[in-house]
Amino acid sequence: MEVYNMITLIIVLAAFFAYINIRLTKLPSTIGIMLISLLASLIVIVLGIIFPAFFLQTTKAISLIDFQAVLLHIMLSFLLFAAAIHFDLKKLKSERLSIITFSTIGVIISTFVIGALLYWVAKMVGLSVDFLYCLLFGALISPTDPIAVVGILKKVNIPSSLETKISGESLFNDGVGVVLFISFYKIAQIGYENITAWDISWLFIREAGGGVLFGWLLGYVGYQALKTIDNYVVEVMITLAIVMGGYALAEIIHVSGPLAMVMAGLITGNKSLHNVSSELSSDYIGKFWEMIDEMMNAILFLLIGFEMLVIPFNATLLFLGFIAILIVLFGRLVSVWLPITLLRYKNSFAHYTIPLLTWGALRGGISVALALSVPKYMYGEMFLSITYIVVLFSIIIQGLTIGKFAKKFAENAKEPSIPSLD
């Protein structure tokens, strides 16, 4: 009953905060809900000075929520499938080289740049953090989560190709980032001396390649099922089974669930709904997953706001957190600049692509969830605190300014692109 009551309270608060945002603050949904949630957390802290028992009860209730399990094992599958099912596969194919490069090579570059710089900064403040642990932080903070940004960018009419790059990258780099994090985590657990380069390569191939292949299989099983019936209620249930059953099975066979959900969502949205489902069924399935996407994001950003009450902070961690903001932005800049420098031999890019991709790369709940899974002996508490600071800055500052940033560049869109060298 306690679990039911907790879920009820979360949904009621998410709905209430969403209502306040629509009526009063009128910010992008995810950003508005998180800001209101942060404000509520600050109010709880102030009231805690007067009523300590109230503060203790509130923080105890929040600490009972296993944010890492809720996001990585439940919400992430729904969020990625919901995003993928609405993504145009033709656009994805047209930008596939850029998207694959940004979501793989870009994530790897970002991970190592951020890890190396954090290792150096930690040394400067007297913290002897193993370089491998710093790479763990690099892996968990590198995946972008531009859910709010994509909605903002649509309103300022940036080129369709750039919008596709941003949203397409976000579909895949969550899965790649998680696989990279798992790889470094396994090395840290087993030890350098007990693992070979082949073991690491096989782990990455099995998780990433296996996830993509398994997701393709899920999508086509769903396609075969959907084309034999015409009943929108059952068809919605089949898509739910693909997500819930598929993600659970992916964890059992040790392949990447996030990448599996992306592939399954792309096939379901572009093949099943367009080719075999009736117009009525397609409409119901599309609207159902749109609602799931909005609801899950509302709950996710609500929980991110309330996590402030249970995350440890001190002067050193705050300093490292602010430095980490600069490190993460620089790591993103390098991870965008290098691939674009290579890809310009095959593709053309607008001059403002690099700054827009850098500033528009928000970090979200997946980074916090992964940080929560790092044990204390691997400096888990430190990584959690600085991750939270980076995520708050990313969502609030970058999220609220990216619209004006993009609009300024869009107004000068007639300037020549960075040409292909063909």
Side-chain angles (χ1 to χ4, degrees), residues 214 218 238-252 261:
F214 180 62
L218 278 176
I238 288 172
T239 61
L240 272 174
I242 290 171
V243 174
M244 300 177 75
Y247 201 81
L249 188 54
E251 292 190 333
I252 291 171
M261 290 302 100

Side-chain angles (χ1 to χ4, degrees), residues 104-171:
T104 55
I105 296 174
V107 172
I108 293 170
I109 292 171
S110 173
T111 296
F112 278 89
V113 170
I114 292 171
L117 289 175
L118 182 67
Y119 177 77
W120 177 68
V121 170
K123 285 278 188 184
M124 287 181 61
V125 297
L127 293 174
S128 182
V129 184
D130 192 292
F131 180 61
L132 184 58
Y133 301 161
C134 293
L135 289 179
L136 266 181
F137 175 75
L140 69 87
I141 205 67
S142 289
T144 60
D145 182 23
I147 294 165
V149 170
V150 172
I152 297 169
L153 295 182
K154 285 180 179 178
K155 297 177 183 178
V156 295
N157 298 317
I158 66 166
S160 176
S161 62
L162 183 54
E163 184 185 324
T164 301
K165 288 183 180 76
I166 294 174
S167 52
E169 179 195 2
S170 72
L171 280 178

Side-chain angles (χ1 to χ4, degrees), residues 30-97:
T30 50
I31 298 175
I33 290 172
M34 198 193 76
L35 279 173
I36 297 169
S37 179
L38 283 171
L39 179 61
S41 297
L42 291 173
I43 291 172
V44 169
I45 292 172
V46 172
L47 288 176
I49 298 172
I50 306 171
F51 307 105
F54 169 75
F55 178 78
L56 289 174
Q57 288 177 352
T58 304
T59 52
K60 182 181 178 181
I62 293 170
S63 62
L64 290 175
I65 301 171
D66 191 342
F67 184 87
Q68 184 243 353
V70 168
L71 177 56
L72 293 182
H73 300 297
I74 301 174
M75 296 178 69
L76 188 59
S77 58
F78 289 91
L79 287 167
L80 290 175
F81 185 87
I85 203 174
H86 292 109
F87 200 92
D88 189 339
L89 193 56
K90 291 180 180 178
K91 290 184 178 180
L92 182 71
K93 287 180 178 178
S94 68
E95 299 292 341
R96 61 184 178 277
L97 183 59

